[in-house]
Amino acid sequence: MPIAESYRRFAEREARGVSAVYTSWAHGVSEDAAVLSLLETLQPIKRQPNLVFAAARWHGAGTTFRSFRDVLMGEWPQVCHTILTRATQTNEAGRCAVLLPFLAALPQPLALLEVGAAAGLCLLPDRFSYRYDHGTALDPEDGVSDVVLHCQLGPDMPRPAMPRVTSSGRPSREVRGRVPPSSWSGLWRRPTKATLSVSRRGGVVGR
């Protein structure tokens, strides 16, 4: 697929309604011959909009397409280096809202293994609050979480319920001694520590 078309599709199918900045940038890239010529020098796997846009923000691009373009055209060697030495990580806790009905249907308590865990956010499904379109509201045992996930479920989906997971490091009294509190793991070749400022910056620069 031509680079211009891939960025146009990204703007319409992925960024629209999620990120006004990315929508504007992707449309701009699709119509800018000079920027497209720079992207053509990259391997196809490194041309993905999320990676290119995050690298531009890392090097100081503002929110307008003009700012993005100025950074790419003026600092391409540095931006290119960042693109080639970095990879995108989707640390998306929202996945838990979709997984919850299936996790709750399994024999409890649960021990979790997340492959490609990055920050490991999906190892904590019992630490988030959930609000489903059919009216179901779920919260951790100690009250409403600072993270509230909203979700629409399709027809014939299992009814969501809060699973019992030892991933929070605080097993309930009834399972203590039977399931170790460390019965959760995340496997990823480049672990991300959410407590590090550089990791937090890398996770939010794009939006």
Coordinates of all heavy atoms in Angstrom, one line a residue, residues 12 15 27 37 52 69 71 93 120 122 151 155 159 190:
E12 N -8.5 8.2 9.0 CA -10.0 8.0 8.9 C -10.4 6.9 9.8 O -11.5 6.9 10.4 CB -10.4 7.7 7.5 CG -10.1 8.8 6.5 CD -11.0 10.0 6.8 OE1 -12.1 9.9 7.4 OE2 -10.6 11.2 6.5
A15 N -7.4 7.2 13.9 CA -7.2 8.5 14.7 C -8.4 9.3 14.8 O -8.6 10.0 15.9 CB -6.1 9.3 14.0
H27 N -3.5 13.2 7.8 CA -4.0 13.8 6.6 C -2.9 14.7 5.9 O -2.7 14.7 4.7 CB -5.3 14.7 6.9 CG -6.5 13.9 6.9 ND1 -6.9 13.0 5.9 CD2 -7.5 13.8 7.9 CE1 -8.1 12.5 6.2 NE2 -8.4 12.9 7.4
S37 N 8.6 11.6 1.0 CA 9.9 11.2 0.5 C 10.8 10.8 1.7 O 11.6 9.9 1.5 CB 10.5 12.3 -0.3 OG 10.9 13.4 0.5
V52 N 6.2 7.2 14.0 CA 6.7 8.4 13.4 C 6.2 9.6 14.2 O 7.0 10.6 14.5 CB 6.3 8.5 11.9 CG1 6.7 9.9 11.3 CG2 6.9 7.4 11.1
R69 N 5.8 19.0 10.7 CA 6.6 19.1 9.5 C 7.9 19.8 9.7 O 8.9 19.3 9.2 CB 5.8 19.8 8.4 CG 6.4 19.7 7.0 CD 5.6 20.5 6.0 NE 6.0 20.2 4.6 CZ 7.1 20.7 4.0 NH1 7.8 21.6 4.7 NH2 7.4 20.4 2.8
V71 N 9.7 19.9 12.3 CA 10.6 19.0 13.1 C 11.2 18.0 12.2 O 12.4 17.7 12.2 CB 9.9 18.4 14.3 CG1 10.7 17.3 14.9 CG2 9.6 19.5 15.3
A93 N -5.0 -0.1 29.1 CA -5.8 -0.8 30.2 C -7.2 -1.1 29.8 O -7.9 -2.0 30.3 CB -5.8 0.1 31.4
G120 N 2.5 -3.7 31.9 CA 1.7 -4.7 32.6 C 0.4 -4.3 33.1 O -0.2 -4.8 34.1
C122 N -2.5 -4.7 32.0 CA -3.6 -5.6 31.9 C -3.5 -6.8 32.9 O -4.3 -7.7 32.9 CB -3.7 -6.2 30.5 SG -4.3 -5.0 29.3
C151 N -17.3 0.8 28.4 CA -17.2 -0.2 27.4 C -18.7 -0.5 26.9 O -19.6 -0.5 27.7 CB -16.6 -1.5 27.9 SG -16.4 -2.8 26.7
P155 N -24.0 -8.0 21.4 CA -25.1 -9.0 21.8 C -24.4 -10.4 22.1 O -23.4 -10.7 21.6 CB -26.0 -9.1 20.6 CG -25.1 -8.7 19.4 CD -24.2 -7.6 19.9
R159 N -22.2 -11.9 30.7 CA -22.4 -10.7 31.6 C -21.1 -10.5 32.4 O -20.6 -11.4 33.0 CB -23.5 -11.0 32.6 CG -23.9 -9.7 33.4 CD -25.2 -9.9 34.1 NE -25.6 -8.7 34.8 CZ -26.2 -7.7 34.2 NH1 -26.6 -7.8 33.0 NH2 -26.6 -6.6 34.9
R190 N 11.3 -5.6 26.3 CA 11.7 -4.2 26.7 C 10.7 -3.7 27.8 O 9.8 -3.0 27.5 CB 11.7 -3.3 25.5 CG 12.7 -3.6 24.5 CD 12.6 -2.7 23.3 NE 13.6 -3.0 22.3 CZ 13.7 -2.3 21.1 NH1 12.9 -1.3 20.9 NH2 14.6 -2.6 20.3

